[in-house]
Amino acid sequence: MAATRVGLIGAGGVAQRHARVLAGLPDAQLTAVTDVAPAAAGALAETYGMKVVPDVEALLAEGLDAVYVCVPPFAHGPAERAVIEAGLPLFVEKPIAVDLDIARELAALADERKILTAVGHHWRYLAIADRARALLDGRPVRLVTGAWLDKVPPVGWWPHRDRSGGPVVEQAAHVLDLARYLAGEVLEVSAVGNGVPPAVEGADIDSTTVATLRFADGAIGTLAATCVLGWKQRAGLEIFADGLALSIAEDGLTVRDGDESYSVASDPDEARVAVDATFISAVRGEGDDVRVPYAEALKTHALALAVAASAVAGRPVAVPGV
Ligand SMILES: NC(=O)c1ccc[n+]([C@@H]2O[C@H](COP(=O)([O-])OP(=O)(O)OC[C@H]3O[C@@H](n4cnc5c(N)ncnc54)[C@H](O)[C@@H]3O)[C@@H](O)[C@H]2O)c1
């Protein structure tokens, strides 16, 4: 079977990561790339031997088998629409938009056209996430405490609410997605933002947000997000069931189960490779283990947006069932 021809829309940080991974997959062929910043597309194309094309329309004329959309949150919409209309499998980075309307519209369109989709919530591909799920099987979750404690990433759009959606939507969404994977749906959130932007020029986001979460299955939880550090301190979740405490992050799982305690190390890169390998395998009709199709990411996005909305409104917000 011929190699799967992949096109990239957006050639920034995360596109470079996907290109590195895809270049290492035997069945994928990096074919063409477009970016509104031609220099970014040019640099990526040179590294991986791809063709630079001026826009999405030209990209879709390259005889592709699948397209990755790796644009910043505010830029979602037109690229995905064009890929779906072309009938091509679509991989899109999180967050899938800055609001719910565009994401809902694209989810409906992809569903209507029966398009294979995948979203970059790669934490679900961690072997330790499955291990945590197995440990929680039959043991109701009582408490979830999630945190994303980090710096402001070095991309200009990030500290602007209307461009990124803010730290909860843009960053802590990974934690919220894992919380949903391990503890189920969240019905209602209540959040507070500190009203103090990070010390970056033009920033208009809260540098710190805390939220409480009420899960459908009875668990309650918290989320803490801050971007006031110069480094990534921690991003992960702690989950408590009767007689069971789990602490999970990309680099490992720590378990205390009654009197038994142990840790399982995890290589974060494995999940980053798996999210691409699984998508390409699904495109080729060889596998079907895409863990976060667009419709699933829409639920995580709705939850993150509800947290952000609650912080703005200063009252609890029901999480829409999308
Ligand atoms: N899943 C993950 O672990 C992970 C990691 C990093 C980033 N991301 C996500 O990926 C997205 C992009 O992040 P990044 O770090 O690559 O940002 P970036 O700013 O480094 O790159 C984005 C690129 O998209 C280009 N672009 C903007 N609008 C475009 C458009 N309409 N058409 C084509 N290109 C366009 C920009 O010129 C830029 O080169 C963000 O939503 C981010 O959250 C996900």
Side-chain angles (χ1 to χ4, degrees), residues 19-177:
R20 173 178 60 78
V21 171
L22 290 165
L25 298 179
D27 297 331
Q29 186 187 334
L30 287 163
T31 302
V33 57
T34 188
D35 192 299
V36 290
L44 198 65
E46 198 177 314
T47 306
Y48 294 102
M50 307 168 80
K51 181 174 175 184
V52 179
V53 293
D55 53 31
V56 173
E57 198 187 339
L59 189 91
L60 295 174
E62 287 296 318
L64 303 173
D65 299 309
V67 177
Y68 274 63
V69 175
C70 298
V71 301
F74 67 87
H76 287 288
E80 291 96 321
R81 226 169 271 131
V83 174
I84 294 169
E85 299 282 6
L88 288 176
L90 168 71
F91 185 108
V92 55
E93 262 307 337
K94 44 59 59 185
I96 50 178
V98 281
D99 65 8
L100 207 47
D101 290 350
I102 286 179
R104 274 183 175 141
E105 179 218 317
L106 294 172
L109 196 59
D111 183 54
E112 185 193 311
R113 302 291 167 94
K114 303 200 176 352
I115 298 296
L116 172 69
T117 58
V119 177
H121 281 297
H122 62 273
W123 287 24
R124 290 207 197 193
Y125 295 81
L126 293 165
I128 52 172
D130 286 339
R131 190 138 174 187
R133 252 160 90 99
L135 283 162
L136 289 165
D137 190 30
R139 301 172 84 169
V141 175
R142 307 295 185 199
L143 174 65
V144 175
T145 62
W148 194 293
L149 316 171
D150 205 342
K151 58 185 178 301
V152 174
V155 282
W157 47 266
W158 201 89
H160 305 282
R161 196 182 292 264
D162 64 344
R163 317 216 98 206
S164 70
V168 172
V169 171
E170 212 284 333
Q171 225 169 28
H174 281 299
V175 172
L176 292 173
D177 188 64

